[in-house]
Amino acid sequence: MASPPLLLTVHPAGGDSFERCLGEGPVTVGRSSRAGLPIADLMLSREHARLTSDQDGWWVEDLGSHNGTFLNGERLGARTRVGEGDVLSLGASRIAVRPAPHADGTERRLESEHSLFRPAAELLEERRTGPLLAEDEDVRRHVERLRLLNEVHQALGRPITQAELLELILDRAFAHLRPQEGAIYMRAVGGSFACVASRSTQGSSHAPFYSTNLVREVAEKGLAALVLDVAADERFAGAASILGAGVRSLVAAPLLDPEGSLGMIVLGSAARTRCFSPDDMELLVSLASAAALRIRNVALAEEAAERRHLASEMALARRIQEALFPDTLPEVPGWELHAVNRPSGVVSGDLYTAVLRGPESELAFMITDVAGKGVAASLLAASLEALCAGPIEAGFAADDTFVRVSARLYRRTPPEKYATAFLGILEPATGKVRYANAGHLPALVLTAHGAHRWLERTGLPLGLLPGATYPPAEVTLDPGNLLVLYTDGYTEAESPAGEELGKERFRDACAGLLGRPLPELAAALDSMLEDFTAAAPLSDDRTLLLLRRT
């Protein structure tokens, strides 16, 4: 003997409560639109729990959900009896349980005498596995449905944009179901649903009809809907756009694909013109299912095309940025110079430059690191290079250059956009370097005898505060001395355990490579970092500038 039906009052995490009558199990509860009892709750698993029935009554079991299932406040560990007065807690939702009076097991599908709501996935499964229809009228309807689906699949087989696809779906729906109003709603950014296509036989001045309750039941829960009399159903009492459009009967189906619900298609008609039937609901479910997969594919194709376009734009941006780096570094008798930039993405927020200037052939060299990464940082790096180029080539000292550049950068950029930089001016004959360090990592000087010195910051990062000053400093590089400028992509590189390399280990690595040619030294540092990070992708840009007196 079967258990009596069970009436569930569902209080979802968001939205209005609703009732569902269960005639027999099993019924899966979860956030998936394919669940027998779908609930819009992000804390639920797709298949969270299952309700089953036998001659002894109703039972509930957790399906290995992430957040667990609770019966009257106690977490379920095994299949447990459930009955009148019990309360199930799943995620942020609650389900109150009581017997369903005067229910025969089919009332789960009829929620009022004027409306029918059924899981669209269930209708599709019935259509796939149901017996071949025998009555002439049933055969005719079955053939009609197959003809419609064949038309849709043929039409969808050609290249098509999403806008064309949505119009095609409405074309077929109007041709076969003859509504007066129709609209397609799809999930927008933020999770809300927006009308992406609509049509009316009443002219172009119509406004798409909309109901929050209908969107929740169809687009969010994956239920197909047939409403025979909108005015008599309390769900639509506040739906002014539906009632104002004169819609009396409506049918709606979710746009379901294997990933879930993309939205819904809804058709409406005045009762005197067209009253929809359960067959119409099944036909619309089939149409929506066929269309949903193509909508997803078209969206993916458009996203792929956009990604290809973006990749092309980024490649162009990198070529432009590479043009900002010197084609060749200046050759200075008695000195070696080498530099390298390795972006963590396509473009870099780091930059270096080196130029000879003035009658004494001074060497001006600079390294910068813009706050942030990616395109925004690379644009600011390019702007910074342009701001610095004039003062450097005009012969300004490092401190004066930074005062001018910082003031202009502060006026032109938001507060969170700033840059650190090190600018040095070398007198090749004496080895004297006059420099300014604008909040950059301390430059490293290594002597041929193994001693070292850090050239600390002399001022704030560029563009951070108005009126910033940069007191000048100087250092003399003797024969065999090596000056190392670098960005934090080196010192902040992390091991798999999350440990940073740090400036001391970086210093020791440079000291151990001191006698090598500069290109080999730079390559060896990269190899050392690959070993330290276990060849993990770069998390930050890496830029290195090496200057050695021979």
Side-chain angles (χ1 to χ4, degrees):
M1 177 174 136
S3 296
L6 208 60
L7 183 62
L8 306 179
T9 302
V10 182
H11 304 277
D16 300 331
S17 302
F18 60 95
E19 292 187 341
R20 185 60 52 82
C21 183
L22 303 185
E24 60 183 58
V27 176
T28 301
V29 183
R31 63 181 171 86
S32 170
S33 59
R34 296 181 177 275
L37 179 53
I39 300 176
D41 184 345
L42 293 178
M43 293 182 67
L44 294 184
S45 299
R46 286 182 171 274
E47 293 186 350
H48 196 101
R50 181 186 295 119
L51 289 161
T52 56
S53 63
D54 57 24
Q55 66 273 15
D56 296 324
W58 284 87
W59 303 77
V60 62
E61 61 180 321
D62 185 83
L63 298 179
S65 66
H66 181 72
N67 291 319
T69 301
F70 296 80
L71 177 62
N72 301 324
E74 297 291 327
R75 184 163 187 157
L76 291 181
R79 185 168 175 261
T80 306
R81 283 284 298 273
V82 63
E84 180 180 5
D86 286 337
V87 176
L88 291 169
S89 299
L90 308 89
S93 303
R94 293 183 300 108
I95 301 176
V97 183
R98 61 188 176 92
H102 311 297
D104 61 5
T106 61
E107 291 181 6
R108 175 176 64 89
R109 300 175 179 178
L110 273 172
E111 297 191 359
S112 81
E113 58 181 310
H114 302 286
S115 304
L116 174 64
F117 285 79
R118 289 189 61 190
E122 179 182 297
L123 288 172
L124 291 170
E125 185 64 24
E126 287 180 1
R127 184 54 51 196
R128 283 193 294 268
T129 61
L132 184 64
L133 301 172
E135 297 294 332
D136 290 344
E137 183 63 19
D138 288 342
V139 171
R140 185 194 64 77
R141 289 198 302 268
H142 189 62
V143 171
E144 184 72 11
R145 181 178 291 106
L146 291 176
R147 183 184 299 115
L148 167 62
L149 296 181
N150 185 55
E151 287 179 12
V152 171
H153 282 295
Q154 285 185 347
L156 296 184
R158 60 181 175 83
I160 193 171
T161 66
Q162 181 160 300
E164 293 171 334
L165 173 59
L166 297 174
E167 288 300 319
L168 174 63
I169 295 169
L170 288 177
D171 278 344
R172 296 301 184 266
F174 270 69
H176 289 269
L177 296 173
R178 305 183 304 283
Q180 289 178 298
E181 307 279 342
I184 297 175
Y185 290 86
M186 292 184 63
R187 194 181 299 275
V189 176
S192 60
F193 288 86
C195 181
V196 293
S198 64
R199 185 174 301 182
S200 173
T201 60
Q202 310 303 310
S204 58
S205 62
H206 81 290
F209 59 90
Y210 182 85
S211 162
T212 302
N213 283 330
L214 189 65
V215 168
R216 182 171 60 247
E217 296 295 320
V218 178
E220 295 182 357
K221 297 181 182 178
L223 301 178
L226 171 63
V227 181
L228 306 179
D229 189 348
V230 171
D233 193 314
E234 62 180 15
R235 293 181 189 83
F236 307 107
S241 63
I242 294 181
L243 299 173
V247 172
R248 187 67 178 273
S249 176
L250 66 82
V251 62
L255 296 165
L256 291 177
D257 76 350
E259 299 296 319
S261 175
L262 302 174
M264 72 173 185
I265 177 171
V266 55
L267 308 176
S269 181
R272 64 180 183 274
T273 304
R274 176 84 163 90
C275 188
F276 297 110
S277 69
D279 284 334
D280 295 327
M281 180 175 71
E282 292 187 17
L283 186 59
L284 187 62
V285 166
S286 297
L287 170 62
S289 176
L293 185 59
R294 187 55 193 267
I295 289 175
R296 178 83 71 179
N297 289 341
V298 168
L300 291 174
E302 291 180 349
E303 289 175 10
E306 181 64 24
R307 284 196 297 271
R308 288 193 297 272
H309 176 71
L310 180 60
S312 176
E313 292 291 313
M314 293 294 286
L316 176 60
R318 180 58 182 172
R319 290 198 297 273
I320 293 173
Q321 186 178 54
E322 287 174 341
L324 299 177
F325 293 104
D327 289 334
T328 58
L329 293 174
E331 294 185 6
V332 182
W335 294 85
E336 291 179 278
L337 183 63
H338 180 75
V340 63
N341 168 257
R342 301 190 187 283
S344 59
V346 179
V347 291
S348 171
D350 292 356
L351 201 67
Y352 69 82
T353 188
V355 295
L356 288 173
R357 69 179 199 181
E360 301 300 325
S361 295
E362 291 180 328
L363 175 68
F365 56 94
M366 184 178 71
I367 190 169
T368 66
D369 184 359
V370 171
K373 292 181 288 187
V375 175
S378 72
L379 290 174
L380 185 55
S383 176
L384 182 60
E385 190 275 340
L387 290 174
C388 290
I392 289 175
E393 293 174 4
F396 283 91
D399 53 313
D400 290 336
T401 298
F402 278 175
V403 168
R404 292 167 176 265
V405 170
S406 182
R408 291 180 180 176
L409 202 63
Y410 178 80
R411 292 195 300 268
R412 297 181 181 184
T413 58
E416 68 274 10
K417 292 300 180 184
Y418 57 88
T420 67
F422 184 103
L423 172 60
I425 310 297
L426 168 69
E427 293 179 356
T430 64
K432 182 183 296 183
V433 177
R434 300 182 303 279
Y435 68 90
N437 183 335
H440 198 74
L441 296 171
L444 173 63
V445 177
L446 292 169
T447 72
H449 306 293
H452 75 275
R453 176 182 175 185
W454 296 106
L455 307 184
E456 300 289 349
R457 60 190 63 184
T458 62
L460 295 171
L462 303 175
L464 189 62
L465 290 176
T469 59
Y470 300 88
E474 69 176 48
V475 63
T476 298
L477 300 180
D478 295 323
N481 286 181
L482 173 68
L483 175 63
V484 183
L485 306 182
Y486 55 95
T487 60
D488 55 12
Y490 283 90
T491 54
E492 294 181 5
E494 291 188 354
S495 69
E499 181 184 12
E500 285 190 357
L501 180 75
K503 70 175 188 177
E504 284 74 20
R505 265 193 287 234
F506 178 75
R507 175 203 63 204
D508 293 343
C510 292
L513 300 167
L514 188 61
R516 296 196 186 186
L518 297 189
E520 290 185 15
L521 192 156
L525 285 177
D526 283 339
S527 296
M528 179 271 296
L529 282 179
E530 283 196 8
D531 292 341
F532 183 76
T533 63
L538 273 66
S539 59
D540 201 357
D541 304 326
R542 293 178 189 165
T543 302
L544 186 70
L545 191 150
L546 305 172
L547 176 66
R548 179 163 58 196
R549 188 174 185 180
T550 60

